[in-house]
Amino acid sequence: MVFANFNHMKAETIQITLLRLKDGTRLLRLTESETGLALERALNPNLPLLKQKQTLRALFDSMLQRAELLAS
């Protein structure tokens, strides 16, 4: 199963990357290296970056918890 190493996953392994595309769009990508899970979202230029980052991080944490439950 893809989540075999899920119990060893720690929140410190989450990488957050901010990308800027050629058309000016900014993407926020969260990746967890041990499981390979990733979540990416285009940012809204009218909202503060920190608020969007916190929202996406909460969603990603929830996703990881759900995947952990499914793996056990």
Side-chain angles (χ1 to χ4, degrees), residues 2 5 8-10 21 24 27 42-43 47 61-62 69-70:
V2 107
N5 295 328
H8 303 334
M9 186 204 64
K10 295 184 173 46
L21 304 180
L27 298 176
L43 295 174
L47 297 175
D61 288 341
S62 173
L69 289 173
L70 292 173

Side-chain angles (χ1 to χ4, degrees), residues 16 28 30 43 48-58:
I16 300 174
L28 189 60
L30 282 77
L43 295 174
L49 175 61
L50 182 59
K51 175 70 174 161
Q52 293 180 78
K53 181 180 171 183
Q54 291 169 337
T55 301
L56 195 59
R57 176 64 191 253

Side-chain angles (χ1 to χ4, degrees), residues 23-50:
D23 68 359
T25 303
R26 295 183 306 164
L27 298 176
L28 189 60
R29 179 185 299 150
L30 282 77
T31 323
E32 201 287 313
S33 59
E34 291 189 25
T35 62
L37 280 173
L39 181 62
E40 183 175 277
R41 179 175 286 171
L43 295 174
N44 182 339
N46 299 321
L47 297 175
L49 175 61
L50 182 59

